Amino acid sequence: MLGNDIGIDLGTANILVFVRGKGVVICEPAVVAMDIDNQKICAIGEEAREMIGRTPGNIRAIRPLSEGVIADYQITEEILKYFIKRAVGRRLFRPRIVVCVPSGVTTVEKRAVLEAATQSGAKEVYLISEPIAAAIGCGLDIAAPTGNMVVDIGGGTTDIAVISLGGEVVAQSLRVGGAHFEEAIVRHIKRVYNLAIGDRTAEDIKITVGSAYPNQDRKMQIRGRDLVTGLPATIELASSDIHVSLEEPIRSIVDTIKSVLEITPPELAADIVNNGMVLTGGGALLEGFVQLIQEETGVPVTLAEDPLTCVARGTGEVLNRLDQIAQSSVLTSRRTRSR
Ligand code: ADP
Ligand code: MG
């Protein structure tokens, strides 16, 4: 039975699956390839990502969760089914599933995920919000009577929460994340160098020379298509150059973190100054982000260990303690009637 319960991090950029007793067994991009002629899904995850930008006319690669919204219920169900099947195969017992959703999702979207997971064969489904799962995943004692602050910077969204006594006291979800950094880079390179680049090149640039701070001294060569000649071209980029283009999305994340601190009750704000704030999610890996947020807020900031898997490991920890916390307000649940 141990290997039958699973936790799913339904992220905007990556979907991770945690199997109880095994750990994180799947980590794949949240991409789906659709055949637009018949609206059928032809590939999901890594396989679908390979198709981005290389697809023939009738196949389109989409990121169904890119804005932190469950845009299409049917697609969500197919994604869940696909990953659940890959994680546990065909089993005699239907699994109990903990799914993490971004905290900005609406009640309707939550119901859609509960329904989709139930339809994909779960016995019981529990939903947990992203900041709570992230906090548990990075080892914070969320039930303690003290304020903890978590900032999860994902691909399409940033989730910020102040947690105390097992609940989110203040929470904010912002539709800005790593993907917006990439869009800013694409625009910048087009404007300044007249060069068209793809999404994957933009992500490479962000990871290699991108930074939240000026004065970094790294360089890289990139290739793209010159928009004037129409031919492939190579240019050299410096981090100082890229930093400028990232200022706007970085500013909106920093400002939202500050606004959450501003509306945090004073006792909890004092706790946060003591306990510090933890950054999770892949976006937190941007060079210099930790330092910048610390300087801007005056609160000690730490980067979680392995920030990309924090949420998935958090859902795993919830599975381990499901019997104790199944009834708590941290989770929204749905149980299928036995058939
Ligand atoms: P989500 O939970 O929304 O699926 P993730 O937490 O998986 O998002 O983070 C994905 C984002 O993190 C992507 O935008 C990716 O480009 C970004 N990312 C991953 N590694 C790095 C890195 N080293 N530097 C900057 N950004 C990174
Ligand atoms: Mg996430």
Side-chain angles (χ1 to χ4, degrees):
M1 277 296 275
L2 204 64
N4 210 25
D5 290 339
I6 61 184
I8 301 175
D9 169 10
L10 210 51
T12 61
N14 296 298
I15 295 177
L16 282 77
V17 184
F18 183 103
V19 174
R20 196 170 168 208
K22 289 187 188 158
V24 176
V25 296
I26 293 173
C27 171
E28 295 203 9
V31 178
V32 165
M34 295 278 285
D35 184 330
I36 48 176
D37 293 338
N38 58 13
Q39 291 295 311
K40 285 232 156 65
I41 292 177
C42 25
I44 295 176
E46 193 56 60
E47 202 187 324
R49 204 248 289 257
E50 299 286 321
M51 295 180 173
I52 289 189
R54 304 196 174 92
T55 54
N58 62 325
I59 295 177
R60 210 159 55 95
I62 54 172
R63 292 183 173 272
L65 301 152
S66 68
E67 293 287 310
V69 230
I70 318 297
D72 188 317
Y73 164 77
Q74 218 94 50
I75 295 179
T76 310
E77 185 181 326
E78 295 229 21
I79 292 174
L80 286 171
K81 269 191 183 148
Y82 172 79
F83 285 114
I84 292 169
K85 192 161 168 226
R86 275 199 30 207
V88 296
R90 289 188 69 86
R91 293 267 180 154
L92 217 48
F93 300 103
R94 287 183 295 157
R96 297 192 295 177
I97 302 182
V98 173
V99 186
C100 167
V101 290
S103 64
V105 305
T106 62
T107 321
V108 176
E109 287 168 341
K110 276 190 190 169
R111 225 182 300 133
V113 174
L114 279 175
E115 187 62 35
T118 309
Q119 288 301 318
S120 359
K123 180 172 69 173
E124 292 161 35
V125 185
Y126 300 89
L127 294 188
I128 185 165
S129 81
E130 185 142 17
I132 298 263
I136 297 175
C138 59
L140 295 177
D141 179 5
I142 61 151
T146 179
N148 279 300
M149 184 161 180
V150 178
V151 177
D152 181 273
I153 307 170
T157 53
T158 296
D159 279 295
I160 304 163
V162 173
I163 300 166
S164 174
L165 291 164
E168 288 170 11
V169 181
V170 189
Q172 242 335 315
S173 184
L174 173 74
R175 292 194 173 169
V176 175
H180 300 86
F181 297 3
E182 279 150 44
E183 282 164 23
I185 290 173
V186 170
R187 276 198 305 272
H188 179 78
I189 294 194
K190 191 167 169 186
R191 194 165 43 90
V192 178
Y193 299 97
N194 264 316
L195 198 71
I197 56 167
D199 287 350
R200 296 186 85 162
T201 305
E203 186 174 22
D204 256 4
I205 294 171
K206 174 178 75 176
I207 293 175
T208 317
V209 294
S211 78
Y213 245 76
N215 314 323
Q216 294 278 342
D217 203 20
R218 282 168 300 153
K219 287 189 166 57
M220 82 183 280
Q221 300 232 318
I222 61 149
R223 283 200 194 88
R225 184 167 48 85
D226 188 306
L227 289 164
V228 178
T229 65
L231 298 172
T234 305
I235 58 163
E236 188 173 80
L237 280 180
S239 34
S240 53
D241 188 10
I242 291 307
H243 166 73
V244 180
S245 66
L246 297 179
E247 262 175 347
E248 193 188 313
I250 286 175
R251 177 56 34 206
S252 53
I253 292 176
V254 171
D255 285 349
T256 312
I257 295 174
K258 282 185 179 170
S259 72
V260 167
L261 283 166
E262 278 162 21
I263 54 170
T264 299
E267 292 295 338
L268 295 178
D271 292 342
I272 290 164
V273 173
N274 276 328
N275 301 339
M277 137 186 13
V278 186
L279 304 192
T280 66
L285 287 165
L286 183 75
E287 180 77 33
F289 223 165
V290 170
Q291 196 188 344
L292 181 78
I293 295 172
Q294 180 157 313
E295 265 174 36
E296 292 266 343
T297 60
V299 170
V301 181
T302 51
L303 180 64
E305 199 177 304
D306 201 0
L308 281 156
T309 64
C310 254
V311 167
R313 286 183 288 113
T315 62
E317 193 50 43
V318 170
L319 288 171
N320 288 333
R321 291 189 273 152
L322 202 50
D323 296 327
Q324 291 117 279
I325 57 176
Q327 304 306 324
S328 81
S329 59
V330 167
L331 303 171
T332 312
S333 67
R334 160 109 188 220
R335 200 179 286 253
T336 37
R337 270 174 248 117
S338 44
R339 283 180 270 192

